């Protein structure tokens, strides 16, 4: 896996540094996109002279996609201006109207955004802007191809393209951009097809885990990932066997938090095969190991898992205790999404225990957090619980308000998909 990652990093870094090609088209499936984005973020952090514009938003209809890009530019501008204000430096200028005007042709809006960002760069020195239009999913292939088509030079590179590199994506499972480029024999375009499919990643991890020349800690890290893959694909005996080897190794090295992760892995298997009592025992053993550690993320995951299993076993008091502890940890490490999840579950326990009023209160608080973080999936789930509660209690006014918000959310989600 390290070899594949090095090849990816080297390829992207070399493309950024070279001067002969304008656009790199990467053929990647959805499963590999998170790794591509993370790798580019790492290159960005090590590159002080160039400006990276990373757009991982889903490729929807062109006007909506360009609006999402403009929204990211505006959000970045506000963050940068706060920093510049603290340093007593002039702010970045506002985005041109053309970037935001959905009535304009796609090409005009894209060009306006490109020229705006390039205008932010220093006039002296060798500075480039790297646009990475890398959607996690491509929901509108024709629309995305229309956008990408603007980034392929027909002959010479146009003035608005100078000082810029574009990294875009094709769908490895159903390619629709690279075949067209090959027919066009498009100049100034490179293509790259790294294989980060699950099968390829698993093969690379296995090869390195068995390679005696690779340091043992790295091999154990690979084995940990393979154990998780075994679990995902239902190879439960293999998963437990790997977690056992790992647990022994981490016990010898004294890494309690990693021992706890192994116990959670076995607990997840037990729960998946219908043995919640055994699963809960593993989770609680993991929590004992983490009791005095600073591994708060591991502790958080174990608390949520123990709470879910206790809830499944109808042990409501224990479930609430685990969820409340998880809520506190999520607050401490500033994870509002897990906090919202926990608040919903605490309310579920309260409702089953007949505490209708407190359940409504905690769910209402959770909806405010979800709105603030734009956590729509959880917001919809909690609003549906509140709607059922208001309906049963014949509370007409809050019922109508909740239904109106739910309808608006679902309509927006349907439009986006």
């Amino acid at each position: 896996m390290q070899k594949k990652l090095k090849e990816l990093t080297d390829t992207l870094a070399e493309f950024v540094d070279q001067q002969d090609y304008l656009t790199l088209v990467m053929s990647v499936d959805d499963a590999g996109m998170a790794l591509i984005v993370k790798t580019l973020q790492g290159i960005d952090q090590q590159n002080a002279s160039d400006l990276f514009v990373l757009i991982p938003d889903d490729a929807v209809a062109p006007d909506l996609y360009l609006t999402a890009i403009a929204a990211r530019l505006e959000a970045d501008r506000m963050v940068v201006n706060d920093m510049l204000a603290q340093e007593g430096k002039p702010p970045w200028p506002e985005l041109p109207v053309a970037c935001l005007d959905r009535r304009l042709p796609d090409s005009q809006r894209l060009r306006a955004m490109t020229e705006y960002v390039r205008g932010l760069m220093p006039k002296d020195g060798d500075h480039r802007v790297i646009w990475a239009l890398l959607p996690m999913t491509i929901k509108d292939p024709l629309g995305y191809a229309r956008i990408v088509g603007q980034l392929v030079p027909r002959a010479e590179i146009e003035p608005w393209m100078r000082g810029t590199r574009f990294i875009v994506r094709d769908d490895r499972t159903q390619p629709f951009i690279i075949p067209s480029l090959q027919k066009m024999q498009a100049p100034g375009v490179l293509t790259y097809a790294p294989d980060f499919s699950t099968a390829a990643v698993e093969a690379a991890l296995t090869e390195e885990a068995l390679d005696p020349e690779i340091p043992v800690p790295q091999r154990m890290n690979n084995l940990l990932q393979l154990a998780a893959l075994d679990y995902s694909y239902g190879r439960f005996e293999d998963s437990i066997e790997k977690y056992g080897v790992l647990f022994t190794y981490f016990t010898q090295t004294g890494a309690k938090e990693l021992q706890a992760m192994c116990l959670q892995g076995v607990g997840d298997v037990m729960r998946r095969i219908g043995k919640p009592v055994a699963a809960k025992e593993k989770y609680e053993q993991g929590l004992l190991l983490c009791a005095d550690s600073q591994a708060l993320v591991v502790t958080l995951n174990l608390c949520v898992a123990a709470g879910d299993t206790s809830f499944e076993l109808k042990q409501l008091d224990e479930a609430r205790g685990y969820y409340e502890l998880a809520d506190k940890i999520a607050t401490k490490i500033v994870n509002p999404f897990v906090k919202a999840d926990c608040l919903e579950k605490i309310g579920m326990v309260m409702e089953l225990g007949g505490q209708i009023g407190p359940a409504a209160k905690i769910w209402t608080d959770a909806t405010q957090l979800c709105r603030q973080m734009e956590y729509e999936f959880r917001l919809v789930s909690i609003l549906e619980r509140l709607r059922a509660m208001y309906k049963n209690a014949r509370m007409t006014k809050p019922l109508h308000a909740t239904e109106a918000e739910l309808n608006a959310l679902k309509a927006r989600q349907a439009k986006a998909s």
Side-chain angles (χ1 to χ4, degrees):
M1 190 61 186
Q2 295 301 315
K3 294 178 183 178
K4 295 177 74 68
L5 290 174
K6 186 178 185 305
E7 177 197 289
L8 172 64
T9 302
D10 289 347
T11 300
L12 291 173
E14 288 171 9
F15 172 74
V16 170
D17 287 339
Q18 57 79 42
Q19 298 181 1
D20 298 323
Y21 296 92
L22 175 73
T23 303
L24 172 65
V25 183
M26 302 187 66
S27 178
V28 190
D29 60 15
D30 288 354
M33 284 310 301
L35 187 58
I36 303 297
V37 170
K38 184 176 180 181
T39 301
L40 266 174
Q41 289 172 334
I43 296 173
D44 181 15
Q45 291 171 359
Q46 297 176 9
N47 187 327
S49 62
D50 300 329
L51 177 61
F52 285 69
V53 183
L54 184 55
I55 311 293
D57 300 70
D58 291 345
V60 291
D63 63 331
L64 295 175
Y65 185 57
L66 290 171
T67 299
I69 295 174
R72 280 194 177 270
L73 291 178
E74 177 61 17
D76 289 344
R77 187 183 77 87
M78 294 176 66
V79 171
V80 170
N81 281 353
D82 286 342
M83 297 170 59
L84 293 174
Q86 294 176 9
E87 298 172 2
K89 297 179 180 179
W92 281 5
E94 293 186 0
L95 267 70
V97 175
C99 298
L100 306 168
D101 191 346
R102 295 175 62 177
R103 297 170 299 178
L104 295 177
D106 301 336
S107 58
Q108 189 172 340
R109 293 182 68 193
L110 183 61
R111 182 175 302 190
M113 285 187 267
T114 304
E115 291 178 336
Y116 167 78
V117 175
R118 194 184 65 218
L120 300 173
M121 300 299 291
K123 304 303 180 184
D124 58 330
D126 183 20
H127 303 283
R128 288 155 295 200
V129 178
I130 294 85
W131 283 83
L133 305 183
L134 295 172
M136 302 303 287
T137 60
I138 301 175
K139 296 183 178 179
D140 183 358
L142 290 178
Y144 182 66
R146 199 165 82 195
I147 298 295
V148 171
Q150 305 295 321
L151 311 177
V152 177
R154 298 298 185 264
E156 294 183 358
I157 292 178
E158 298 181 36
W160 67 275
M161 297 175 172
R162 297 191 185 281
T164 306
R165 304 283 185 275
F166 298 100
I167 304 175
V168 299
R169 178 193 171 191
D170 198 1
D171 188 344
R172 187 183 182 90
T173 56
Q174 294 181 309
F176 61 96
I177 292 177
I178 291 178
S180 298
L181 293 175
Q182 291 171 338
K183 290 180 182 179
M184 292 169 53
Q185 296 183 338
V189 179
L190 288 174
T191 60
Y192 177 43
D195 188 358
F196 287 103
S197 63
T198 302
V201 169
E202 189 170 6
L205 288 170
T206 301
E207 179 183 354
E208 292 182 9
L210 297 174
D211 188 345
E213 295 185 2
I214 292 178
V216 173
Q218 184 177 323
R219 294 169 63 188
M220 291 299 104
N221 181 61
N222 286 4
L223 193 62
L224 189 61
Q225 296 178 64
L226 287 168
L229 283 172
D230 284 339
Y231 167 78
S232 298
Y233 284 93
R235 301 188 293 255
F236 300 128
E237 290 184 4
D238 292 340
S239 182
I240 289 176
E241 181 179 359
K242 289 181 176 66
Y243 279 126
V245 172
L246 289 160
F247 185 83
T248 300
Y249 171 74
F250 293 134
T251 299
Q252 293 170 350
T253 61
K256 290 187 176 182
E257 66 279 6
L258 294 174
Q259 295 173 50
M261 286 179 62
C262 294
L263 288 168
Q264 180 175 350
V266 175
D268 291 344
V269 172
M270 293 294 103
R271 191 174 171 203
R272 182 94 169 264
I273 63 178
K275 296 182 177 180
V277 175
K280 184 183 174 187
E281 180 181 347
K282 295 299 179 184
Y283 297 144
E284 290 176 336
Q285 289 174 357
L287 284 169
L288 285 174
L289 283 169
C290 288
D292 298 325
S293 80
Q294 297 299 313
L296 294 181
V297 174
V298 177
T299 306
L300 174 63
N301 292 335
L302 283 163
C303 281
V304 172
D308 289 344
T309 310
S310 298
F311 190 85
E312 182 182 340
L313 292 168
K314 296 183 171 54
Q315 299 168 346
L316 299 185
D317 289 342
E318 291 188 49
R320 179 171 175 175
Y322 284 124
Y323 290 144
E324 288 178 343
L325 180 55
D327 173 41
K328 291 177 182 178
I329 296 173
T331 302
K332 185 172 183 178
I333 65 175
V334 195
N335 190 328
F337 301 101
V338 174
K339 180 177 178 66
D341 296 343
C342 291
L343 291 176
E344 180 183 23
K345 292 173 180 179
I346 293 169
M348 291 164 58
V349 174
M350 289 177 170
E351 185 182 36
L352 287 174
Q355 297 176 286
I356 305 302
K361 173 65 169 60
I362 202 166
W363 283 339
T364 302
D365 292 343
T367 59
Q368 294 176 357
L369 177 61
C370 290
R371 294 185 194 102
Q372 180 183 354
M373 303 308 301
E374 298 183 357
Y375 189 13
E376 290 193 356
F377 171 78
R378 189 59 55 205
L379 178 58
V380 168
S381 178
I382 297 173
L383 286 173
E384 287 176 340
R385 295 185 187 282
L386 284 169
R387 178 176 61 181
M389 180 181 287
Y390 294 145
K391 188 174 182 180
N392 289 337
R394 298 182 180 180
M395 299 172 67
T396 305
K397 187 174 180 179
L399 173 61
H400 289 167
T402 301
E403 287 180 334
E405 185 175 5
L406 270 171
N407 291 336
L409 281 166
K410 291 181 178 179
R412 184 163 69 245
Q413 291 173 345
K415 185 178 180 181
S417 62

